[in-house]
Amino acid sequence: MKKILITGGAGYIGSHVIKELLKKGGYDITVVDNLSTGFLDTIQRLQDRWGDFRFIQMDLGDWEKVDELMQKERFDEVIHFAAALVVPESVENPLKYYLNNTANTANLIKASVESGVKKFIFSSTAAVYGEPESIPSTGISEEAPTAPINPYGHSKLMSEQVLKDTAKAYPGFKYVALRYFNVAGADVEGTIGQSTKDATHLIKVAAETALGKREKMYIFGDDYPTPDGTCIRDYIHVDDLALAHIEALDYLEEHESDLFNVGYGRGYSVKEVIDTMRRVSGNDFKAQIAPRRAGDPAILIADSSKLRSSTKWQPHYDDLELICKTALEWERQLSK
Ligand SMILES: NC(=O)c1ccc[n+]([C@@H]2O[C@H](COP(=O)([O-])OP(=O)(O)OC[C@H]3O[C@@H](n4cnc5c(N)ncnc54)[C@H](O)[C@@H]3O)[C@@H](O)[C@H]2O)c1
């Protein structure tokens, strides 16, 4: 049994990774989460459906408790999801982001090194690339310059740097940073999904609108240099993203630390997403054109060839309709 610590496991992506670990077996799982944006109900659903694991309500800002837990448990592996992730909030309240996403991460890394953790998987983001001037048709590769344009992106990039320097200084400690692009959809079996309050994620907002939870939704800008004028993004199904974490752990068995983009390598426009959600929901809901938002690049697509060629990761749900259907199905469950 590998002893693994999952931070932020009561949240959207972490819960889907816990599901995959439980399905795979061989892990003694401990989850810590302060439930700031995560849900106890998600933990309960995971335990009821896929088996038991330990849940501790704890804030990673409580460094003493984190150190104590890590010294006591001596985890082999850590997957670190816990973070704050609302971009506009990071502009208004940057210190929340630097403290939670960077300082707490640095402390977790320190506690990991001191307690003998061998593998550390970190949730990073495409926000580290900022607004790329030009994007090759194959998407943004890991070689592209990093130039975050908001504190959220900076807070994550700084954590990547802490990992890089730490792994160099402590050879027993290895990490993989996964730079997620746009994550969407819900567990294909319908047990868990995204419960985030006041979410700004396009597909979740479209699902909420399709079910009448919102009167209408907005399209921020239709004058971008794209075929239909709306922004294009690379939407990855959360179950496929979850599997990338399992592959990242495997990768570190025989390789050194590294970072990978995680996306499908193709994009859909905002209008295409809304049309798909209208089709799968059978509701021709209202989407109103609004001005562009600051800091939205026209196109953001991952070049994920490095992940595909270096690991055994293979997408299973690269299908916008399925992504929208699972998001909608989960949204229905949330209404019950
Ligand atoms: N959702 C996306 O599209 C996306 C894209 C790129 C990167 N990411 C990254 O993925 C990770 C997970 O995101 P998510 O979408 O699941 O978000 P989420 O808000 O659903 O999950 C984050 C979890 O971390 C917990 N948490 C936050 N701060 C904590 C702290 N100080 N101590 C303990 N627990 C804490 C929250 O309660 C929550 O359960 C984050 O690191 C985020 O930056 C997400």
Side-chain angles (χ1 to χ4, degrees), residues 11-13 33-34 36-38 59-60 81 100 152 156 180:
Y12 173 42
I13 300 168
D33 199 301
N34 65 1
S36 54
T37 56
D59 190 317
L60 292 186
F81 297 100
N100 196 19
Y152 170 64
K156 289 285 181 172
Y180 314 157

Side-chain angles (χ1 to χ4, degrees), residues 7-15 32-39 58-62 80-85 100-101 104 122-127 152 156 178-184 194-196 201 241 245:
T7 75
Y12 173 42
I13 300 168
S15 58
V32 301
D33 199 301
N34 65 1
L35 301 180
S36 54
T37 56
F39 298 86
M58 184 190 283
D59 190 317
L60 292 186
D62 196 337
H80 178 39
F81 297 100
L85 52 135
N100 196 19
N101 296 3
N104 288 346
F122 176 61
S123 296
S124 193
T125 166
Y152 170 64
K156 289 285 181 172
L178 296 175
R179 291 176 175 168
Y180 314 157
F181 280 61
N182 288 64
V183 190
Q194 185 173 18
S195 305
T196 321
H201 305 75
L241 176 69
H245 295 74

Side-chain angles (χ1 to χ4, degrees), residues 76-80 105 108-109 112 117-122 163 173-177 249 252:
D76 301 298
E77 302 172 352
V78 172
I79 310 185
H80 178 39
T105 297
L108 182 70
I109 295 167
S112 297
V117 168
K118 291 168 218 56
K119 298 179 190 175
F120 192 104
I121 311 296
F122 176 61
L163 280 167
F173 175 83
K174 297 201 275 190
Y175 77 93
V176 163
L249 287 171
L252 288 178

Side-chain angles (χ1 to χ4, degrees), residues 100-227:
N100 196 19
N101 296 3
T102 314
N104 288 346
T105 297
N107 181 63
L108 182 70
I109 295 167
K110 172 181 171 283
S112 297
V113 168
E114 289 174 353
S115 62
V117 168
K118 291 168 218 56
K119 298 179 190 175
F120 192 104
I121 311 296
F122 176 61
S123 296
S124 193
T125 166
V128 300
Y129 297 116
E131 276 182 282
E133 273 175 21
S134 68
I135 297 184
S137 58
T138 47
I140 302 180
S141 85
E142 294 82 353
E143 304 300 318
T146 49
I149 55 165
N150 49 58
Y152 170 64
H154 278 293
S155 71
K156 289 285 181 172
L157 187 60
M158 287 161 78
S159 297
E160 283 191 13
Q161 189 66 46
V162 177
L163 280 167
K164 196 172 173 185
D165 294 339
T166 304
K168 216 182 276 172
Y170 300 91
F173 175 83
K174 297 201 275 190
Y175 77 93
V176 163
L178 296 175
R179 291 176 175 168
Y180 314 157
F181 280 61
N182 288 64
V183 190
D187 166 29
V188 287
E189 294 182 45
T191 313
I192 50 171
Q194 185 173 18
S195 305
T196 321
K197 298 264 183 266
D198 305 319
T200 51
H201 305 75
L202 177 69
I203 291 182
K204 181 161 172 77
V205 170
E208 289 172 353
T209 316
L211 294 182
K213 295 183 186 183
R214 294 174 189 244
E215 184 205 330
K216 62 181 173 194
M217 63 179 294
Y218 295 97
I219 296 174
F220 298 105
D222 66 348
D223 55 353
Y224 284 95
T226 60

Side-chain angles (χ1 to χ4, degrees), residues 224-230 232 299:
Y224 284 95
T226 60
D228 67 15
T230 64
I232 293 179
I299 303 177

